Amino acid sequence: MRTVLLTGFEPFGGERVNPSWQAVSLLGERQPLSGVDIRVAVLPCAFDTSLDALRAAVTEHSPELVICTGQAGGRHAVTPERVAVNLDDARIPDNAGSQPVDVPVVEGGPAAYFTSLPVKASVAAMRAAGVPAAVSYTAGTFVCNHVFYGLMHLLATELPGVRGGFVHVPYTPEQLADAPSMSVATIAEGLAALVRTCLDTVEDLSVPAGTLH
Amino acid sequence: MRTVLLTGFEPFGGERVNPSWQAVSLLGERQPLSGVDIRVAVLPCAFDTSLDALRAAVTEHSPELVICTGQAGGRHAVTPERVAVNLDDARIPDNAGSQPVDVPVVEGGPAAYFTSLPVKASVAAMRAAGVPAAVSYTAGTFVCNHVFYGLMHLLATELPGVRGGFVHVPYTPEQLADAPSMSVATIAEGLAALVRTCLDTVEDLSVPAGTLH
Amino acid sequence: MRTVLLTGFEPFGGERVNPSWQAVSLLGERQPLSGVDIRVAVLPCAFDTSLDALRAAVTEHSPELVICTGQAGGRHAVTPERVAVNLDDARIPDNAGSQPVDVPVVEGGPAAYFTSLPVKASVAAMRAAGVPAAVSYTAGTFVCNHVFYGLMHLLATELPGVRGGFVHVPYTPEQLADAPSMSVATIAEGLAALVRTCLDTVEDLSVPAGTLH
Amino acid sequence: MRTVLLTGFEPFGGERVNPSWQAVSLLGERQPLSGVDIRVAVLPCAFDTSLDALRAAVTEHSPELVICTGQAGGRHAVTPERVAVNLDDARIPDNAGSQPVDVPVVEGGPAAYFTSLPVKASVAAMRAAGVPAAVSYTAGTFVCNHVFYGLMHLLATELPGVRGGFVHVPYTPEQLADAPSMSVATIAEGLAALVRTCLDTVEDLSVPAGTLH
């Protein structure tokens, strides 16, 4: 059995659910991938405590692959993130009432980390499974990017053999009448295809997936 | 058995598939609704011949409900249309090379027809099934609106007991890397929920579903 | 002198300003068009009273051309509307607390009216003046469409020699940090080009300006 | 006199103009800022030669401030970029036919550079001037990001006293009928306000301007 850690976030910004955790917890219950033990953890949507919770989960489960997920309200696809930046700039307070502006995630850390996930192969696999997917080049500057950067820093400095990355997911149809959305089942199907691809892929596809701006 | 006619369009605008026909033909094969006989027809994406093909299909199948569907590239939800306007204004040539500008669909017809489908109840049912859905207030001015208007005119003038309307569906993930999309299976699931709702609903929900502009 | 009536709306939806009235009142002060007397009126954003205020302004000023304007938050261009529909469906309460759902603007009126403005020539003139502009095929189902439909009904039934239509305008940069926007000065410049075009144009351009959906 | 270098790009992607160079060359002609000598240069839209051209312009003009600009088709605001990433991933070939995929801008360079422009103060100044503006957190992975990263690397490694950054600008209304756009005059007005702000501002505003994702 290969062990993978998936994390999702608790609800934030006035929402009652967070599709990232809904999909991740569904995968934890269903265990849809043969030969893969999916461990799951929910992270607080708070700058101060999210990385401690992530570290605790990594320590507890000793995964070979860590995929953190979060809600990206307004996006219409499952979007693996390529770049984490060393910057917190919170448009709204987090769930603990904290709103850092223009401070680094890790004092003295590099300006950015690139994901170690094969994001292009993952996107191809999700699309082949009928799940809308695309590579993203910004994870924002809120708690999602904070956790993404913190994860990559943890792996780079303490766990060099573990791969990891971050995936943003859309709203669900239950959340907002007018926004792009995707059912929890479809999100989970996409994440399962992504996990399978990450485990099976040594080198990412060399196909263009960039953006013009 | 209750008979429903679903139509989809052939591909247009350089696309190799049309998700409206993919989803509709899937429903014709699967027949997912008990007590309902789903008949299907593909319409040419051409101003001159689409309404003849629609009339022929209606005559052949004698449905109690007619739902025409078409591709709305760029939309992120299954969108039942509320209003058909008596106007052709083609941004691009249709599949027969015709590009009418500022001519009515039906000379002397009313400026618009409203759908006779319970669009609000249908949207609620699709969302409850996990399918992103929303009411739309413009079907454009290309062949989709042409067929929608032509259908409503046919029903109003010749078949007053038959209900009908039009539903736009998104691209599929196979079509375009960056656009909002939805799998054929999800689109078909949404259309099935919509058909069931239309058959079961006498009066539409009285809830706000309008747009501010 | 040729007399034109321009109307804008008071703020609504929690906004402190309404760019439609800001731009229209600026044009009333500046009077930028030689040989044209621009009269202006602000309309309440309320279903019950807006059409009475419009009728009063038309009676007072006896214009040969009436252009009503309103805010379309989220649009990125000045958008002359082509179609008014006989439907009120209010997503939010208006400024008087009224929220009609699925009622006609005018009981027994036609399903829709087309504008009598040369919208394509107007869009071309605005774009030539450097103002982002596009034809729109839905004015929504809130007070803007209500006033648009009411105006066209008034002209059709009582003032056949007067031309009229509706134009939606974007937010201004002051209103919302993340939405598309346009300065009041640019909006006013666009409306001036539109008024000049409407006065000078007998027959609209015959160029494609439709939408695929 | 204080010397500022502004660069724009030549047209690419089938366009006949590039609004970045149109606006920058207009500022070079008009010289709207008292006490400021605006020098301008046009850069080729090519990975191989753009940074040589940039270096040559910096050497020739010895500016205290360098602001590179580029077209971001589809954006609706003037957007100062905050982060340059060390990654070329070209969705389309550049003007020289080159299409690098997943290669660094500078072999061995840091993963990213942050701008040294006061982007928040600049956005505030542009908005106060009526010009739609917003901070951006991704400059893409095409030639714009390539030049942005190359500029920041040049300044960091060879010219530590010079400040610099990158600004994306929208299409103009002449380019594409349906996309968000802004006139060259408005873009130039925005860039002038940005240059003035960059010269006058020692420390950027400490206000939230981040994104949730």
Side-chain angles (χ1 to χ4, degrees), chain A residues 91 177-178, chain C residues 91 177-178:
Chain A
R91 168 151 298 183
D178 287 328
Chain C
R91 168 149 298 180
D178 288 328

Side-chain angles (χ1 to χ4, degrees), chain D residues 1 10 25 38 41-42 51 56 67 70-71 74 81 100 123 131 134 144 157-158 171 183 190 196 204 209:
Chain D
M1 291 292 275
E10 61 184 17
S25 57
I38 296 176
V42 63
L51 288 177
I67 294 167
Q71 166 191 297
E81 297 291 345
V123 163
V131 179
C144 286
T157 56
E158 302 183 34
Y171 282 133
S183 70
R196 172 56 70 201
D204 199 3

